[in-house]
Amino acid sequence: MKAELQKMFDGFSAGDHITATGSDTRGYEITRTGYLLAEPKLVNARRNGSPAQGLRLCVGAKGTDPSERNTWTTLFPDTGSVERTPEPEPGKWSMTKLSDVPGVKASSHNTRILYGGKGGARSTAPTQSTPVNVLYTDEGYYALWDPDTDRTYAVITLATKIWWAHVSQKDNVLNAQSSPGASEDAEFISPAAGS
């Protein structure tokens, strides 16, 4: 069984951009696309209520800690797949919920994107192109903040649709500051901001 699991992963190494379909920690099927954050690990996992040996992959945005459970995908010998996928194109716009942006989570403040404005049914294209850091405010809200100008472009929830794109390498330098300035067009005002 160990040989079968390792054969599934031949030709891949940490740093590759992949799509992996397997099981999450609750046993539900999950597909993750992102960078392989660490070498795969043989683990004993639960499958249909029984212990089974699987191959754990940690897949996520660059810089994500592989020990974070939301990166884990476990492949079993008869189910699951992994394939190499193209790296994301900087500047290629998507309109999704904030929760669908790779790397966005409450425990990390290292996600940087191009912010194109609010999305939704009537929004047909981005209205701006601003590199921002996505910061969790500890109150269920996320600030889209530009550390260079100390300007907050929006304070939103994970369910809010936005236009976003991956940033280029030159725009992917994070400022060491960690507190956003005042919100200028926030859809939601964070309770932490005093509203």
Side-chain angles (χ1 to χ4, degrees):
M1 184 177 288
K2 183 176 177 180
E4 288 177 51
L5 288 168
Q6 289 178 327
K7 186 177 180 181
M8 288 176 77
F9 201 71
D10 281 348
F12 296 94
S13 59
D16 289 346
H17 197 268
I18 63 169
T19 295
T21 300
S23 298
D24 67 7
T25 56
R26 299 167 297 164
Y28 296 115
E29 183 176 299
I30 186 142
T31 299
R32 298 192 196 280
T33 298
Y35 293 94
L36 185 60
L37 302 169
E39 292 300 321
K41 190 172 20 172
L42 282 172
V43 295
N44 290 317
R46 303 235 16 115
R47 183 174 183 207
N48 300 326
S50 302
Q53 195 169 47
L55 188 67
R56 176 159 301 145
L57 308 181
C58 300
V59 181
K62 278 186 181 177
T64 305
D65 184 349
S67 67
E68 293 183 21
R69 294 169 81 90
N70 63 357
T71 68
W72 294 358
T73 305
T74 304
L75 282 61
F76 297 100
D78 57 339
T79 63
S81 65
V82 61
E83 63 183 351
R84 196 174 312 276
T85 53
E87 292 207 30
E89 288 181 48
K92 183 177 178 184
W93 292 103
S94 297
M95 183 182 57
T96 67
K97 294 177 187 176
L98 181 63
S99 61
D100 294 333
V101 175
V104 171
K105 55 194 167 300
S107 61
S108 176
H109 288 185
N110 66 354
T111 303
R112 188 156 170 83
I113 60 171
L114 281 179
Y115 174 58
K118 301 242 175 95
R122 295 184 182 164
S123 180
T124 58
T127 57
Q128 60 185 306
S129 180
T130 308
V132 296
N133 293 2
V134 181
L135 300 174
Y136 182 63
T137 68
D138 298 325
E139 299 292 334
Y141 295 92
Y142 293 77
L144 304 181
W145 172 63
D146 179 2
D148 295 331
T149 62
D150 196 25
R151 178 178 173 190
T152 299
Y153 286 85
V155 178
I156 60 178
T157 68
L158 287 174
T160 305
K161 287 189 174 181
I162 63 168
W163 284 98
W164 69 275
H166 292 279
V167 294
S168 66
Q169 283 301 98
K170 73 177 183 67
D171 290 327
N172 203 16
V173 178
L174 296 180
N175 191 306
Q177 300 172 2
S178 62
S179 61
S183 174
E184 296 193 16
D185 77 350
E187 178 179 344
F188 301 98
I189 303 298
S190 167
S195 62

